[in-house]
Amino acid sequence: MNINLTIIGQLLAFSIFVWFTMLYVWPPLSNALETRRKRIADGLAAAERGQNEQRLAEERAKEVIKEAKQQASEIVAAAQRRANEVVEESRTTAREEGERIKEAAHADIEQEMNRAREELRKKLAGLVVQGAEQILAKEIDAKAHGTLLKDLAERL
Amino acid sequence: MASENALPTMEEHIAHHLSNLTFGLHPENGLGFAMTSTEAAEMGFWAIHIDSMLWSIGLGLLFLLTFRAAAKRATADVPGGWQNFVEWIMDFVDENVRGSFKHKNDMVAPLALTIFVWVFLLNLMDLVPVDLIPHLFYLAGVPYMKIVPTTDVNVTVGLALGVFILILYYSLKIKGPVGFIKELTGIPFQTSITVLKPVFWVINFVLETINLIAKPVSLALRLFGNLYAAEMIFILIGVMYSAGLVLGLVGGVLHVGWAIFHILVVPLQAFIFMVLTVVYIDMAYSEEH
């Protein structure tokens, strides 16, 4: 176990090795590690941001859907209201139309009745005149009493 | 060499395993490799352990080049297999550095990485069967070959010395010479009596200096002690293989057990060295302990 120059040799070798490691081995690897660490961190941050955005988009989508649903139900309600109105309107129209038709029919009937009554009166007047003629026979001159008879017939 | 023909005795075998391949200037034989451990000792300080240096530098280069390859092709996109592995180690080291070192310094993390991986690789050589590579070298005419550099106290002291220099450097840089001296003399004992102050300074200085020097010494000796002891056990188990069938089988079982235990010890010692280094530099940064 001799202490000798080997100590100095070893010390020199050690110094050179440390110097070399410090200059050429550690920094490139350390930089690579640091860059990768940063890249991963960025990636994670981006992922988080993406997730956040997705959440926001989902919320937004929900809102839009809600709005659309509301609009749809409003439209449906309006349509229903309108349909009811239309039904009501047509019902009114139909009722009016029916009323009118009924009135027209009534008028027709009245007219017909009047005509029939007129005819009956005329026929009755004729019959009365005929009867009177037959009763009175010669006593009545058609020509002389024509005006009187006509007036009578008209009043019947 | 005791004998060319006879098998070496157990003591020789063990001693052989514990000797480094030493190159230096021998007072009598001149410049060359030490052929015996006595020769190596006689060379004194101005000799170098060729095996420790080659294996540690070789493994260090293996670490640097493979990691540099990953660094060159480093990409922030999906990493390849090797880059992934390197990043895994880096993350592990970085996490530990962040845990113990709270200041801003671009050198501590690379330093910790270098220490961890390099010491790990040096320790890992302990799992290579003890006789294999030395024997191959022996056949090639190389007298000694210790392949686990961290079982050489010079290697661990060299590493700890590097850390110690950094501790001193940062202590002086952050606190300034005055602050550093104040730290060495001002704690742990304090007094309000003016006359006694210099006495306390001296006592504090002695204590704090021991405290300071204990850091690299403990770093170096912990790593060395663990690996040296481990290597020793492996060598002893290796000796059992040549002591008959029964002992050989027992040795085999022990070998496997010890090796499995070492899967724990090898990274653990590298980790401890790294963490303590980071903690010591953090202490150099801090104003007060």
Side-chain angles (χ1 to χ4, degrees):
Chain A
M1 208 42 53
N2 312 307
I3 294 290
N4 58 27
L5 212 54
T6 314
I7 290 180
I8 310 296
Q10 188 66 23
L11 180 60
L12 282 178
F14 181 44
S15 320
I16 291 166
F17 288 169
V18 171
W19 168 80
F20 186 89
T21 310
M22 196 174 112
L23 282 190
Y24 300 110
V25 176
W26 188 272
L29 284 164
S30 183
N31 285 343
L33 280 175
E34 200 47 51
T35 313
R36 190 179 313 139
R37 198 167 290 147
K38 209 165 154 279
R39 206 177 280 180
I40 290 171
D42 287 351
L44 286 175
E48 197 150 321
R49 222 168 29 243
Q51 262 172 347
N52 219 24
E53 266 162 31
Q54 196 198 356
R55 220 187 49 237
L56 285 178
E58 261 169 27
E59 258 166 42
R60 172 108 189 79
K62 258 186 212 158
E63 219 155 280
V64 167
I65 287 173
K66 211 172 103 189
E67 223 165 275
K69 267 187 188 161
Q70 206 177 331
Q71 253 171 2
S73 65
E74 267 169 28
I75 288 170
V76 167
Q80 221 145 22
R81 216 164 41 236
R82 180 85 194 99
N84 285 346
E85 271 173 21
V86 167
V87 166
E88 201 57 43
E89 233 166 75
S90 47
R91 194 174 286 157
T92 318
T93 320
R95 198 180 292 128
E96 281 170 5
E97 185 73 17
E99 211 73 24
R100 222 181 51 231
I101 289 170
K102 218 162 81 183
E103 265 167 41
H106 272 299
D108 271 2
I109 289 168
E110 197 123 333
Q111 222 175 342
E112 212 57 33
M113 232 161 67
N114 284 347
R115 205 172 45 235
R117 201 178 280 153
E118 198 72 24
E119 217 158 301
L120 271 175
R121 199 168 47 205
K122 270 183 194 160
K123 272 187 185 160
L124 187 62
L127 279 174
V128 169
V129 171
Q130 241 176 357
E133 265 176 15
Q134 275 167 2
I135 294 166
L136 297 173
K138 283 150 188 156
E139 273 165 65
I140 293 173
D141 185 6
K143 280 180 195 165
H145 298 94
T147 322
L148 186 77
L149 281 171
K150 217 178 193 173
D151 184 48
L152 186 70
E154 254 164 33
R155 277 167 56 192
L156 276 170
Chain B
M1 311 253 164
S3 54
E4 285 295 324
N5 305 322
L7 280 166
T9 65
M10 199 173 86
E11 287 80 8
E12 281 171 344
H13 176 80
I14 293 170
H16 183 259
H17 266 297
L18 294 179
S19 304
N20 285 101
L21 178 66
T22 315
F23 181 84
L25 188 63
H26 191 263
E28 285 162 32
N29 302 347
L31 201 64
F33 287 105
M35 298 313 279
T36 63
S37 45
T38 7
E39 264 184 46
E42 279 163 5
M43 283 177 180
F45 184 78
W46 297 105
I48 191 158
H49 292 157
I50 298 293
D51 48 1
S52 295
M53 289 311 296
L54 282 182
W55 285 104
S56 66
I57 290 173
L59 290 166
L61 287 178
L62 178 74
F63 152 62
L64 287 185
L65 296 179
T66 51
F67 273 56
R68 173 66 189 152
K72 248 189 208 158
R73 279 178 288 142
T75 161
D77 298 322
V78 181
W82 177 243
Q83 193 194 336
N84 203 6
F85 178 73
V86 169
E87 281 177 7
W88 174 58
I89 295 177
M90 272 185 62
D91 258 348
F92 170 72
V93 170
D94 203 33
E95 211 170 284
N96 278 293
V97 171
R98 272 176 219 275
S100 348
F101 187 78
K102 306 288 183 201
H103 312 276
K104 173 105 189 72
N105 190 322
D106 287 340
M107 199 214 56
V108 174
L111 171 75
L113 178 72
T114 311
I115 288 176
F116 180 65
V117 181
W118 195 23
V119 173
F120 176 80
L121 289 174
L122 299 184
N123 290 352
L124 199 62
M125 297 307 289
D126 206 13
L127 289 175
V128 178
V130 274
D131 279 312
L132 184 67
I133 293 174
H135 191 66
L136 290 177
F137 273 94
Y138 188 73
L139 291 179
V142 180
Y144 298 106
M145 181 53 60
K146 244 174 103 173
I147 62 164
V148 192
T150 38
T151 58
D152 181 354
V153 75
N154 290 290
V155 170
T156 61
V157 169
L159 285 171
L161 208 57
V163 174
F164 187 55
I165 291 168
L166 287 174
I167 292 172
L168 291 181
Y169 172 73
Y170 283 116
S171 291
L172 288 171
K173 188 185 165 196
I174 300 300
K175 298 160 191 158
V178 179
F180 189 39
I181 288 167
K182 255 189 198 162
E183 191 183 76
L184 287 179
T185 53
I187 46 173
F189 299 117
Q190 278 152 339
T191 174
S192 50
I193 307 161
T194 323
V195 191
L196 279 178
K197 270 186 178 173
V199 181
F200 276 66
W201 289 342
V202 171
I203 296 169
N204 284 340
F205 184 73
V206 170
L207 283 173
E208 283 298 300
T209 309
I210 291 169
N211 191 11
L212 188 66
I213 291 174
K215 285 171 187 171
V217 170
S218 71
L219 265 185
L221 294 187
R222 179 182 301 105
L223 183 60
F224 166 71
N226 271 284
L227 272 292
Y228 187 78
E231 180 79 344
M232 194 67 159
I233 303 279
F234 274 126
I235 292 167
L236 290 174
I237 290 169
V239 170
M240 288 177 83
Y241 287 133
S242 57
L245 184 66
V246 179
L247 271 180
L249 282 175
V250 173
V253 173
L254 286 175
H255 193 155
V256 171
W258 193 239
I260 289 171
F261 179 57
H262 261 74
I263 294 171
L264 182 69
V265 171
V266 163
L268 188 67
Q269 286 305 321
F271 177 71
I272 289 172
F273 202 105
M274 172 189 86
V275 168
L276 285 179
T277 302
V278 174
V279 168
Y280 289 158
I281 294 178
D282 182 64
M283 281 161 77
Y285 262 83
S286 316
E287 289 297 321
E288 296 281 320
H289 312 210

